[in-house]
Amino acid sequence: MLRRLIAAAALLAAALTAAPAAAAGGPLRDLAEARGIYLGTAVTGDRLTGGYADVAADQFGSLTPGNEMKWDAVEPTRGSHDWSRADRVVAFAEAHGQRVRGHTLVWHNQLPGWLTGGTWTADQLRTLMTDHVTAEAGRYKGRVDHWDVVNEPLAEDGTLRRSVFGATLGESYIADAFRAARAADPTAKLYLNDYSIEAVGAKSDGMYDLVKRLLAQGVPVDGVGFQAHLILGQVPASLEANLRRFADLGVDVAITELDVRTTLPATAEKLDRQKADYASVVRACLAVTRCAGVTVWGFTDSDSWIPDFFPGQGAATLYDEDLYPKPAYDGIAGALAPVTPPAPGVCSVTYAVTQQWAGGYTAQATLRNTGTAPLDGWTVRWSQPAGQRVTQAWNTALTQSGTEVTASHLPYNATLPPGGSAAFGLNGTWSGTNPPPTSLICTSGT
Ligand code: G2I
């Protein structure tokens, strides 16, 4: 029931959103952060100016270079690196307080011609691969939050893909790539990334078994990326359970390349369905504690790989070709809306930080009697996920236990007529970040 209320509140918040950039209290990146995940996008580095750059910076907390970090881009000639396009995306992210998902160190596509055109012994190929991982992960040491160390290692049936790496080196290339990445950048989270592993099935079973084997060998796998290149109306019902079973192995999970393609033209009905699809993927991530975040594979239909690869299909992203937000934007904003379900018909409560300074803040909460009878006493509860401590409160009797805060009425503001409200305030300390409460509820009674 509570879940349904939350979903209803989220949809309502989305429906009321006229200006998406200010949706539900903030841009997507802030909404996501307040819910404990990041919302990222793939970008095309050459396009990071003007309106495209504004949306990329304002709405997303993480950037993935769509092509700029691939092997063919960074080492077009053997032994001679060109980091300029990758550097540009990383610098842009740093200038806008964004994380970077590095994509990708070892993949069978977009390899340089000198590599695919050469003839290599297994030893030579292994050394070329680990040298490449060492050079690239080393170059961005400390600046990349997640690396897709190995991309798309599996065939459709869940066995090892017979790529140049798989066929020549066998499964051991994966362990070698991860170990080289860990040595080159000890703080980056190292991911295996693949597509068509979103549902429980043969391919995701293969990935599950692979991760288990790698962990058993002490290979530093920190996470599994689920690309999620989805077809309209086909978000797998088992997505959440699938994410959870991987998390239960002791790795993080993330949605890394989300898009939802449809046949063209995209009608209003299809875009509504797409909105629901985007929202349900975000909700699946939110439901799994170890889900680090969701990345969309391009945020505008003018920068999507779909029309080139699937003729007759497209409209797969959140913004149209003119950078106007589509219903899918509201779907994500709604799914990420703050969890503040009012007790229906009894009371509602709002919370806002009114002042913040290094290490400290002041917040104000207002409780309102939304029922038809007088409220005889009230209690407001919330949780402060980032270790904030309340040091002082007024107009309420407040206690804190760990991250949980309870604020109750005092004799003089216990009784509220229908429509009446009571405000109370507090001072607190914070460090790192000061996100809003992750849950905020009021109850009536003494
Ligand atoms: O194919 C979709 C994605 C599947 N998972 C791995 C991702 O890395 C992959 O991304 C796409 C890029 O979004 C495309 O932009 O990978 C494609 C190629 O594997 C990229 O397409 C290529 C075109 O095929 C080239 O003609 C073009 O020169 O992009 C290149 C750079 O614009």
Side-chain angles (χ1 to χ4, degrees), residues 66-67 70 103 107 110 151-152 227 229 257 297 305 309:
N67 289 297
K70 291 170 180 173
H103 177 84
W107 189 31
Q110 288 172 288
N151 190 38
E152 301 173 5
Q227 293 185 7
H229 293 294
E257 305 185 12
W297 202 246
W305 67 297
F309 285 72

Side-chain angles (χ1 to χ4, degrees), residues 401-424:
S401 167
T403 56
E404 303 308 307
V405 181
T406 305
S408 293
H409 60 86
L410 290 171
Y412 62 83
N413 61 10
T415 307
L416 296 177
S421 62
F424 61 91

Side-chain angles (χ1 to χ4, degrees), residues 378-394:
W378 48 263
T379 299
V380 177
R381 292 190 180 78
W382 68 92
S383 97
Q384 307 190 141
Q388 302 101 318
R389 300 291 314 171
V390 177
T391 52
Q392 193 189 3
W394 49 94

